[in-house]
Amino acid sequence: MNPLEAQQNARFAALDPLLPPIAAPPAASEPLVVATGSLRAGGLLTHVVHAPGSWPALWGPLEIRDLTAVPGDSGAAGLAALLGAWRDRLRGTRQEPDSGCTVAWPSRDAEASAVLLAHGFAPMTHLAVRKPGPPAEAGPARVTVRRADDGDVEALTELRLAEWRYTSLVGTARDRPGARALLRAEVVRSLRFSGLVWLAEDDGVPVGMAACALASPAPGDSIHGRLQPGRWGYVDTLSVAPEARGGGVGRALMATAHRELLRPDARGTFLFYHPANPLSPVFWHRQGYRPLWTMWIRRPAWS
């Protein structure tokens, strides 16, 4: 571990006890180094281009340029220097309108938030966590929640499609051709591999769904370097039919899901939500979740 990483690990540990140590960087990364006077900061740049019909393309720009920033103990000043150097490096690159620059940073670092806002970034997604504890209050008695099966694929797909369409208004989801087919395939995958999918019904009518899984951080996945090692419950999707929102369906689904996910060996549960969504922050905070990481984005990348 180099000095900058050791300094940053110490700073993060003081900032938030749930933050894990820095993870190994992606293999195909380009170094970014800033050295001005006594200030030393480093980072790694990655560049990914997604096909228009791919799963990641549903959730953000086709072209992603990401910075893993390691300002060490220089904090906000080091992050500002890295963002400035990154912008300078992007000058002269091909200008793709469907693109974005992304940075993941601990949510409790308010000084860094001010720097990111000043450099044109906006908070895109929170990775929020919930420590083990009793499930929140259940929903109304008229709503029944049961484990979904293969006969529910179409109902689950329609609920996921409704959630994706709403997210395209208030989050990062993008209107792409073939979205329904991709969402249906994800529903089938969840049923077959995690099995932790629940359907809420009101008098036999589907009104909500929750798709969950059990996960452990491992090199190469989206939670490596984001969560402490161990088993976590993952809330992938919670969707309530538009006409049923505000009636307790989400509470009923999560009461059931948390009983299954918060096993004795679980570190807790986690999920991703969009801070600009007028429904998600209030609901998830009441469920006991709080932001651990914030994923920031500037669109387009060269703006």
Side-chain angles (χ1 to χ4, degrees):
M1 180 181 299
N2 66 45
L4 284 177
E5 291 176 347
Q7 292 166 8
Q8 185 146 308
N9 280 339
R11 185 172 183 274
F12 280 7
L15 188 68
D16 191 328
L18 288 185
L19 291 170
I22 295 174
S29 300
E30 178 185 354
L32 181 66
V33 177
V34 174
T36 305
S38 61
L39 188 150
R40 297 289 186 275
L44 292 167
L45 302 173
T46 57
H47 181 202
V48 178
V49 178
H50 300 296
S54 66
W55 176 256
L58 288 183
W59 308 104
L62 294 181
E63 182 177 350
I64 298 289
R65 296 178 182 271
D66 183 74
L67 168 65
T68 300
V70 188
D73 60 5
S74 64
L79 180 60
L82 286 168
L83 293 176
W86 189 17
R87 185 188 289 272
D88 291 341
R89 187 170 295 190
L90 285 174
R91 290 195 178 102
T93 60
R94 180 178 60 88
Q95 297 184 356
E96 170 57 56
D98 196 349
S99 64
C101 285
T102 58
V103 179
W105 202 254
S107 301
R108 289 186 172 180
D109 194 343
E111 292 182 356
S113 296
V115 169
L116 286 156
L117 289 167
H119 281 78
F121 285 80
M124 171 179 65
T125 307
H126 287 318
L127 189 165
V129 292
R130 180 188 193 271
K131 298 299 288 180
E137 177 187 358
R142 72 175 188 277
V143 174
T144 59
V145 177
R146 62 173 175 83
R147 191 71 66 94
D149 56 36
D150 289 346
D152 300 312
V153 168
E154 299 310 320
L156 293 169
T157 299
E158 290 305 316
L159 286 163
R160 283 217 63 166
L161 189 61
E163 180 67 16
W164 175 79
R165 284 171 174 157
Y166 188 77
T167 304
S168 70
L169 301 175
V170 298
T172 59
R174 305 295 291 268
D175 187 7
R176 308 283 190 196
R180 190 184 191 284
L182 287 169
L183 292 166
R184 187 182 190 281
E186 182 64 13
V187 165
V188 172
R189 187 201 66 78
S190 296
L191 287 169
R192 292 180 180 174
F193 292 102
S194 81
L196 301 177
V197 183
W198 291 274
L199 184 68
E201 296 174 314
D202 187 347
D203 196 23
V205 177
V207 290
M209 59 86 69
C212 304
L214 296 172
S216 299
D221 64 29
S222 63
I223 57 174
H224 185 50
R226 300 282 181 258
L227 297 176
Q228 293 177 349
R231 173 172 284 194
W232 292 78
Y234 172 40
V235 183
D236 180 9
T237 299
L238 176 69
S239 177
V240 175
E243 65 275 11
R245 289 173 186 157
V249 175
R251 295 200 311 272
L253 283 161
M254 291 315 304
T256 300
H258 281 142
R259 280 194 293 270
E260 181 71 23
L261 295 174
L262 292 172
R263 300 178 181 184
D265 63 341
R267 299 292 301 265
T269 53
F270 74 98
L271 50 83
F272 297 89
Y273 75 83
H274 302 292
N277 187 322
L279 305 178
S280 290
V282 174
F283 178 82
W284 291 122
H285 293 179
R286 287 176 175 171
Q287 289 287 313
Y289 288 85
R290 60 95 165 172
L292 181 65
W293 291 88
T294 300
M295 276 56 85
W296 296 77
I297 189 167
R298 185 177 68 217
R299 292 184 289 191
W302 41 267
S303 62

